[in-house]
Amino acid sequence: MKSILFSFAILALVSFSSCEKEEANNINTELPAITSIDASNDRITAGADDFAILTCNATGGNLDYLWAVDLGDIIPLNESGSEVRYSGSSCCVGERIVYCTVSNDKGDATDNIIIYIN
Amino acid sequence: MSRILLLILFSCISLQQVVAQCCAAGNPSSSEGGLGLKKNSFTISTFYQHSFSDTYYEGNSVSDYEYLSNTNFDFSLISFSYGLSDKIQLSTELGYFIDKSLGYIFSDFGKKANGFGDGALSLQYNLYSNKEKLLSISPSIKLTFPIGEFNKVVDGVVLPIDFQPSSGSMRYNPALIISKRFFGSKFSLQSYTSVVFSNRITKRSKYKYGNLYNLSITAAYQLNPKLNTALQVKNIYREKANDITTNQEVIIMESTGGHYINLSPQIRYSFLTNYSLTTALDIPVYRNVNGTQLVNKYAFSLRISKSFGLGQKKIQQTDFINLSQLLEHKIEVNGICNMCKDRIETIAYKVKNIKWAEWDLESKSLLLKYEEEFDLDKLASLLSKAGHDNAIHRAEDKAYNNLHSCCKYR
C-alpha cells in the first residue's frame, strides 16, 4: 500500500513539474528594457480637466508594468498597464517624476519622465 | 449644566463643513493629552475614527473646484500607557487604516488602501501638581515613526505618498497639558498646546509636510459617577509643505496648510470595572486654507479603554476622573429645596479631597466621593454654620434664621 501511495506521489510531482516547464517554454521572455516613456504633454495644469497620457514602451515579453509618482494620480488606461493617465490637484503642483518599472521572470527595468504640474 | 448639554446637542446636529487636509498621510490625531496614570497602573485603548471629505475650499469659502469627488478613511489604533511613577507616564501606539479610499470626478476608477500607519512612543511628566488648587501641568514629548506601509501598490500603481497608510516621515511632537479642576472634580478645564515637527521624507520623495501647531481647550463636566461630557475647541494651524526639485531647489507647496478651528463634543461612559467608552465628533467651524484644498466634512471616533492597576484597587485617570473608583461616604444633612441642594454641595466642594458631592432632597443624604481622607468634622461644621443641621452638628438658631425663606426646613 505504501509503495502504491509513493508511486502516485512521484507521478504527481513529475506531472506538476512537467506542466510548469511546458508553460514556461511557451513564453519567450528576455531581460526587460524600456525603450521610451512618452508623454502626450509634459506640462499640465492642476485640476481634473488637464492630464498627460503616459506610455511606457518596453521589450522583454510577458511584462508587468508598475507606475509610481510621489504626488498626483495615475490611472491605468489599458489592461497591460503600459498606458496611463496622469493628473494632479492643486496640492501636487511642481516638478513630478513619474517612474515606470517593467518586469518579467528574467528581471526588471526602470525609467522615468518628468511632468510639470502648474 | 443644561446649557452645556444644549451646546453639545446643538453641535451634534449642526454638522457643517469641516477641516481641510490635502496631501497628508499617517495617523490622524487620536489623543490630546490625559493627566497621567499612577505608578504601576496601565491602560490599554482601542480607537476607531471615521472621516469623510467631499468639498473644496479656497481660502475660507467653498470653492467650485473639482478633482476628487470624495475621500474617506476608517482608522483604528491600539495604544498602551503605563505609569512608570506617579509623575512619569510612558505610552506607545500603532495605527492601522482599515480602509482609505477616494473617488475622482473624472473617472470611475477610485483608489482603496489599507495597512499599518505610523507607530508612536511618548513620555509625559507631571511637572506640577497642586492637589489643593486642583491644578496640574504636564509636558510631554511624542515621537512618531513611519513604520507602516509606504509602498502600497494598487492596480499596478504605487499609491502617491499622501494616500499611503504611513506618513513616511519621522515626527516630533512636544506638548504641554495644563489642567484645572473645579468643584472637587465635577468640572474641569484643560488646555493642550502642541507642535508637530515633521522631518523631510527620504524614501520615494523629498517632500516635507508643514509643521502643525495646535491649541485645544477642553471643558469637561461630570454628569454622574459613570457619565462625563466634554466640549473641546481645537485651534489648528498647519504650515505649508515644501518639496525639493531635481535641481535641488526648495519649492513651497502653495495649496497646503491653513488654519482650522474644530468643535469636538465628547461623551465618556464608565462601565464594568475600569472600562470606559468615549465617543467624539469633530465638527469644523472655521477654516482658512492656503490655495485650494479638499476639506473634511466630519469625523467621529470611538475609544474603548481598560485600566489595570498592579497591586492597586483604585486607578487614577485624571483626565476624566473615574468616580466609580473613589471611596464613598454618606452623611445626613437637613434641607428642603433646590437652593439648599446648591448650597450644601457647594460647601462640600470647599473641603479638601472631596471629589464629588450630591445631596438628595428625598433622603436628605449627602453622598461624598473622595480619593484621600477628608475632614468630615470640618464639613459638618461648615454646613451647620450655613444653617443646615446634620448628623454631627446642629445649626445654631442664628445661622438657621439667616437661611432664605424657602430653605426653612424646621
Side-chain angles (χ1 to χ4, degrees), chain B residues 74-131:
Chain B
D74 293 292
F75 173 75
S76 62
L77 182 128
I78 185 158
S79 63
F80 178 86
S81 298
Y82 179 70
L84 286 173
S85 72
D86 283 349
K87 281 185 172 289
I88 300 173
Q89 177 185 309
L90 185 68
S91 303
T92 182
E93 66 181 44
L94 178 63
Y96 182 83
F97 280 93
I98 300 162
D99 178 50
K100 200 173 185 183
S101 58
L102 60 78
Y104 302 103
I105 62 134
F106 50 82
S107 170
D108 292 336
F109 192 93
K111 277 180 187 159
K112 269 185 170 292
N114 58 9
F116 283 101
D118 294 336
L121 194 64
S122 63
L123 198 64
Q124 184 174 311
Y125 178 67
N126 188 357
L127 181 69
Y128 175 80
S129 181
N130 187 321
K131 286 192 173 180

Side-chain angles (χ1 to χ4, degrees), chain B residues 9-71:
Chain B
L9 187 63
F10 175 75
S11 306
C12 292
I13 58 176
S14 60
L15 286 177
Q16 299 162 21
Q17 304 285 320
V18 193
V19 185
Q21 199 162 19
C22 187
C23 297
N27 296 2
S29 173
S30 60
S31 64
E32 293 193 339
L35 287 183
L37 294 166
K38 280 196 165 181
K39 185 181 179 181
N40 288 337
S41 61
F42 58 95
T43 300
I44 295 174
S45 298
T46 56
F47 171 83
Y48 164 81
Q49 185 176 36
H50 175 79
S51 171
F52 181 80
S53 315
D54 69 351
T55 306
Y56 279 89
Y57 257 59
E58 189 171 350
N60 60 5
S61 53
V62 176
S63 164
D64 56 4
Y65 187 86
E66 288 185 318
Y67 190 81
L68 296 178
S69 56
N70 66 76
T71 69

Side-chain angles (χ1 to χ4, degrees), chain A residues 46-48 65-76 85 87-97 99 114, chain B residues 22-23 65-67 104-107 109 111 153 155-158 160-162 204-205 207 243 245-246 253 255 292:
Chain A
Y65 292 81
L66 180 68
W67 294 86
V69 66
D70 58 353
L71 293 172
D73 299 284
I74 297 171
I75 296 175
R85 177 195 194 276
S87 61
S89 68
S90 52
C91 66
C92 309
V93 166
E95 174 195 89
R96 309 266 68 99
I97 308 172
Y99 295 87
I114 295 177
Chain B
C22 187
C23 297
Y65 187 86
E66 288 185 318
Y67 190 81
Y104 302 103
I105 62 134
F106 50 82
S107 170
F109 192 93
K111 277 180 187 159
V153 177
D155 296 326
V157 178
V158 183
I161 58 170
D162 56 338
R204 288 185 56 197
S205 176
Y207 193 85
D243 198 8
T245 67
T246 47
M253 308 300 286
S255 282
T292 306

Side-chain angles (χ1 to χ4, degrees), chain B residues 16-20 262 282-285 287 295-299:
Chain B
Q16 299 162 21
Q17 304 285 320
V18 193
V19 185
N262 284 2
D282 240 7
I283 305 158
V285 290
R287 55 230 144 158
V295 297
N296 289 349
K297 195 165 196 173
Y298 62 83

